[in-house]
Amino acid sequence: MKRVFFIDDSGPPLGHMILALGAYLGGFDGNFVWNRIGAEYPCSVNVWSLRLLPALCGALCVPLAYLLTLELRFSHLSALGAALLLLLENSLIVQSRFMLLESVLIFFVLLAFFSYLRFHNAPSSSWLRYSWLLLCGASCGAAIGVKYMGVFSYLLLLGVASLHTWNMIGDQTVSHLSVCVQCVCRFVCLLVVPVLLYVFWFYVHLGILNRSGPHDQFMSSAFQAGLQGGLSRITQGQPLEVAFGSQVTLRSSTSQTIPCWLHSHKANYPIRYENGRGSSHQQQVTCYPFKDINNWWIVKNPGRQELVVGSPPQTVRHGDIIQLVHGMTSRYLNSHDVAAPMSPHHQEVSGYLDFNVSMAAQNLWRVDIANRAAESEVWKTIQSEVQLVHVNTSAVLKLSGMSLPDWGFHQLEVVAEKLFKARSSGWTVEEHRYGTSQEQEEREVELHSPTHIDVDRKISFWAKFLELQWKMLTVKQDDSEHKYSSSPSEWITMETNIAYWLHSSSNAQIHLIGNPVSWGVAILSLLAYQLLAAVYLLRRRRGFKDLPDGVWSQFVCLGCVCVGGWLVNFVPFLLMEKTLFLYHYLPALCYLYLLGPALLEHTHTHLLSSVTHRRALVVCASAVLFSAFLSYRTFCPLTYGSPELSANQLQKLKWKTTWDILYRRR
């Protein structure tokens, strides 16, 4: 709402834009700070509009489950059972009632599968069915746009669609032209449309968030310079092309969470380190994670003594040899065959001091522009990523990743590495001005007062898009252990819960707790399907066909969608190291709620021949459904936050000792 740039490693921006749409419709001005759980909302915050869209998506999941079961070729009774299981699932209700994105994600995933199966089941002669395929592609793009978890279901849908397409290609009754047309339509709708939508969400996102914010530091200088405020206020109007005599700050462009700049100060390396190794005792060169006057360097032409820009300026190009002079101390950036303080397998980098001990200056550096354009090899401010190669030793200036001890003020170590990998040691000119003062005192004054030369430059959308994708995948937010974090193994038996809200003075509270009966039905359905599928496969291998081909295809399709959906949304979390919570399991759980009633219908129709057995199954299913309703009613006070329960009543709701239910004794 304030158009401030941010990064969210949980997923792309569509989900946040949906929440922001509700906020916009309710007139929210963005001035409420969401910094404390349980804080009272001021009158200016229209909570109803903020919660509307997640609640609407959560509600629509119920009829979608009904329709999806029908498209799996099961009866209305099974569809009603699946819809009721979703309707009575307390955790889905809680997740839908808050400004959270799981209900939105589940809605688009269910819509994608429903649309695809509607397309697949429609008569091939109907061209209107391709509108369902287009809706499927759009839903896939929306699901991925809400959270990266949507990719799991999208890949499953692509697998099912690929199998159907392969079978269609092998169908000799379909003409060659029709096969080609159908393949192209499926490719466009299921691959091109989701990709275009995914890019479109970021186009809107970057168009709206054009102001500087606290997450700027994760991004490159070029990205930051395109945002209003922040770095753009400093760099606006800077000269574009670096010239001999330019005064620059050099930011490390390696993938560090915290940015840092090439830095030096009036302090020398100790004569001997703690381990007894000796140093050059020359001036320290480090990487400093804050903007500072000691971050300024002057690009000097080795063939001239002047430290000012000539007229016209002589630009620095790829392959040129330069010297870097520290602006405040006039020391030359130097390296030599002396071990670095914290990384003895690399060379030390220093500001050269002539101690008259036969240690000659080695202060020549070659400029290698890693991302130079084919038509221009000029070193450019912000845009160019350069490697500084030490001429005498062919070592490359880089950040080692180590921190210096107390004598180095815990700043980051800079070294020269002889064996280097491409693009692992880049530097970017961030702040830049043309130097005009030759004398040291005048130059120090000049370094404190920026100059401006109007040059307009913008980073392209594609450059921003690609950089943001990389940062979202690599930047790690605070993943410290949370009180309510859990492991995937705890989700299956619901060993954990999450306290979402507690009244400030009473026992009224809301928890993310599932319906224990429905939860148990879901996992039993999964086990039953796997056991039944194993028996069927073994018997078919031995030549026994227990099911007609049509029924077998229906059974396999049910497994691909429901069991496959559970697997792709559960197994990846077993491999993740990030902090996980119970709500991560909800998309996988929804697939099992579709599976249970359909499996009961399959058992009733194709496995039980006795009327008595069938009636017993109906009675058992009705009893289980009624138990699910009673379980839902029992946990309603923790789902809706009302009515308030006493401490004894809350204690009785603690069905598992691992649940953390809060209460005040009176």
Side-chain angles (χ1 to χ4, degrees):
M1 298 306 297
K2 286 184 170 293
R3 309 187 72 174
V4 173
F5 174 76
F6 66 92
I7 296 179
D8 184 3
D9 62 349
S10 68
L14 178 61
H16 299 288
M17 289 193 287
I18 290 174
L19 296 180
L21 174 62
Y24 175 79
L25 295 175
F28 178 57
D29 57 9
N31 287 323
F32 180 71
V33 181
W34 312 85
N35 61 348
R36 185 170 64 85
I37 294 176
E40 293 292 330
Y41 295 114
C43 297
S44 59
V45 178
N46 189 341
V47 181
W48 186 88
S49 70
L50 286 163
R51 294 167 62 180
L52 172 64
L53 294 178
L56 181 63
C57 288
L60 290 176
C61 288
V62 177
L64 270 178
Y66 185 95
L67 295 171
L68 181 52
T69 305
L70 293 181
E71 293 304 322
L72 288 169
R73 303 295 179 89
F74 289 92
S75 67
H76 286 273
L77 195 60
S78 294
L80 180 62
L84 286 175
L85 286 176
L86 255 72
L87 182 66
L88 300 176
E89 177 48 53
N90 300 72
S91 60
L92 291 174
I93 296 172
V94 170
Q95 206 70 10
S96 301
R97 295 181 68 240
F98 285 85
M99 288 172 279
L100 301 170
L101 298 177
E102 274 66 32
S103 62
V104 182
L105 170 65
I106 294 170
F107 166 75
F108 283 123
V109 167
L110 293 178
L111 181 61
F113 272 98
F114 164 69
S115 303
Y116 176 75
L117 292 176
R118 191 66 180 265
F119 157 79
H120 178 69
N121 294 333
S124 57
S125 58
S126 173
W127 284 97
L128 289 176
R129 73 188 188 120
Y130 286 100
S131 61
W132 290 109
L133 188 63
L134 183 61
L135 177 60
C136 173
S139 301
C140 290
I144 300 172
V146 171
K147 280 200 169 189
Y148 279 133
M149 285 175 61
V151 173
F152 304 147
S153 294
Y154 174 59
L155 293 176
L156 174 66
L157 190 145
L158 280 183
V160 173
S162 300
L163 183 61
H164 289 162
T165 303
W166 184 254
N167 292 335
M168 181 268 297
I169 293 174
D171 188 353
Q172 298 298 322
T173 62
V174 182
S175 67
H176 297 317
L177 178 61
S178 179
V179 167
C180 292
V181 170
Q182 290 199 50
C183 288
V184 169
C185 289
R186 292 171 193 232
F187 176 82
V188 170
C189 292
L190 297 182
L191 286 173
V192 176
V193 169
V195 170
L196 291 178
L197 282 176
Y198 181 81
V199 174
F200 177 71
W201 309 139
F202 280 94
Y203 182 81
V204 176
H205 178 71
L206 293 172
I208 294 175
L209 305 186
N210 59 357
R211 296 177 182 172
S212 176
H215 287 184
D216 291 10
Q217 65 175 9
F218 297 127
M219 310 307 294
S220 68
S221 302
F223 194 106
Q224 293 183 53
L227 300 173
Q228 297 178 11
L231 181 64
S232 65
R233 290 184 302 173
I234 301 173
T235 60
Q236 183 179 10
Q238 289 185 152
L240 176 62
E241 298 181 344
V242 178
F244 289 109
S246 286
Q247 299 168 355
V248 299
T249 64
L250 291 164
R251 171 175 165 165
S252 173
S253 55
T254 53
S255 56
Q256 296 290 325
T257 303
I258 300 176
C260 70
W261 292 264
L262 189 65
H263 177 95
S264 188
H265 43 246
K266 291 182 178 179
N268 295 351
Y269 292 112
I271 297 177
R272 291 201 174 275
Y273 301 121
E274 291 81 353
N275 59 8
R277 286 193 299 112
S279 78
S280 66
H281 194 47
Q282 295 191 356
Q283 185 167 297
Q284 296 175 17
V285 172
T286 65
C287 206
Y288 191 52
F290 302 98
K291 292 186 180 297
D292 188 86
I293 192 64
N294 283 311
N295 296 346
W296 285 94
W297 298 82
I298 302 167
V299 181
K300 180 181 177 298
N301 188 338
R304 298 174 58 221
Q305 291 300 316
E306 292 80 5
L307 296 177
V308 297
V309 176
S311 181
Q314 182 185 356
T315 57
V316 181
R317 308 177 69 84
H318 173 72
D320 283 352
I321 306 299
I322 65 168
Q323 293 173 310
L324 285 175
V325 182
H326 189 239
M328 299 301 291
T329 63
S330 297
R331 302 300 179 191
Y332 285 76
L333 184 70
N334 186 79
S335 186
H336 38 222
D337 193 15
V338 175
M342 307 305 296
S343 307
H345 49 289
H346 296 323
Q347 289 180 186
E348 177 190 86
V349 175
S350 64
Y352 181 72
L353 292 170
D354 187 1
F355 288 121
N356 198 21
V357 290
S358 302
M359 184 176 282
Q362 299 182 32
N363 52 30
L364 298 179
W365 300 85
R366 186 178 75 249
V367 176
D368 281 356
I369 304 176
N371 62 340
R372 64 188 182 279
E375 68 279 2
S376 175
E377 295 192 342
V378 176
W379 188 3
K380 295 182 179 179
T381 306
I382 290 179
Q383 298 177 5
S384 297
E385 181 177 324
V386 303
Q387 290 180 334
L388 297 173
V389 183
H390 190 236
V391 172
N392 295 78
T393 62
S394 298
V396 175
L397 187 74
K398 65 170 290 184
L399 189 64
S400 73
M402 305 288 288
S403 294
L404 297 172
D406 292 341
W407 54 259
F409 312 103
H410 299 284
Q411 296 176 16
L412 300 178
E413 181 189 40
V414 173
V415 299
E417 182 182 18
K418 289 187 177 180
L419 299 176
F420 62 93
K421 298 179 181 179
R423 300 183 63 83
S424 65
S425 51
W427 299 86
T428 303
V429 171
E430 189 170 89
E431 296 180 63
H432 177 211
R433 68 190 69 152
Y434 283 162
T436 58
S437 301
Q438 182 66 34
E439 298 299 325
Q440 177 68 21
E441 292 184 1
E442 296 176 355
R443 186 162 61 243
E444 290 181 10
V445 174
E446 182 182 1
L447 289 173
H448 283 89
S449 55
T451 59
H452 293 294
I453 300 175
D454 291 330
V455 177
D456 184 31
R457 56 187 178 277
K458 290 184 178 179
I459 182 174
S460 69
F461 162 73
W462 289 109
K464 289 183 178 180
F465 173 77
L466 294 175
E467 181 180 347
L468 186 54
Q469 300 309 298
W470 177 248
K471 294 296 182 182
M472 289 174 66
L473 293 172
T474 57
V475 169
K476 291 186 177 181
Q477 306 281 19
D478 184 14
D479 279 343
S480 58
E481 192 69 19
H482 191 280
K483 178 181 180 181
Y484 291 107
S485 62
S486 55
S487 64
S489 61
E490 295 176 306
W491 302 342
I492 297 178
T493 54
M494 203 168 65
E495 297 292 329
T496 181
N497 70 303
I498 304 176
Y500 274 2
W501 173 79
L502 175 66
H503 195 276
S504 58
S505 59
S506 72
N507 276 329
Q509 56 193 282
I510 296 177
H511 286 255
L512 185 71
I513 292 182
N515 185 322
V517 174
S518 302
W519 216 278
V521 168
I523 197 62
L524 288 176
S525 301
L526 176 65
L527 297 175
Y529 183 91
Q530 292 174 324
L531 178 61
L532 193 57
V535 172
Y536 279 152
L537 288 172
L538 287 173
R539 288 179 59 82
R540 290 175 74 88
R541 188 64 177 169
R542 295 297 299 170
F544 299 101
K545 295 187 65 173
D546 300 297
L547 301 174
D549 290 340
V551 176
W552 173 249
S553 298
Q554 179 194 43
F555 183 80
V556 171
C557 183
L558 176 68
C560 288
V561 173
C562 297
V563 179
W566 181 85
L567 285 172
V568 299
N569 283 279
F570 176 76
V571 173
F573 290 109
L574 296 173
L575 309 176
M576 292 184 184
E577 297 181 356
K578 64 179 291 185
T579 305
L580 301 174
F581 298 93
L582 182 62
Y583 55 75
H584 287 120
Y585 184 61
L586 296 183
L589 182 67
C590 290
Y591 286 100
L592 297 187
Y593 285 163
L594 300 176
L595 176 65
L599 193 58
L600 279 178
E601 179 183 336
H602 176 85
T603 303
H604 180 275
T605 306
H606 302 288
L607 296 182
L608 300 180
S609 56
S610 169
V611 175
T612 304
H613 291 165
R614 289 182 174 181
R615 288 177 178 174
L617 182 64
V618 171
V619 171
C620 290
S622 302
V624 169
L625 196 58
F626 184 67
S627 299
F629 172 74
L630 292 180
S631 177
Y632 155 76
R633 290 283 296 172
T634 301
F635 286 94
C636 270
L638 299 182
T639 301
Y640 297 98
S642 64
E644 178 194 354
L645 300 181
S646 66
N648 289 335
Q649 289 173 318
L650 288 170
Q651 188 68 24
K652 291 178 181 178
L653 286 182
K654 194 173 181 179
W655 288 11
K656 286 182 175 286
T657 57
T658 53
W659 289 356
D660 185 18
I661 296 179
L662 312 172
Y663 53 87
R664 294 180 174 86
R665 295 189 180 275
R666 295 179 180 176

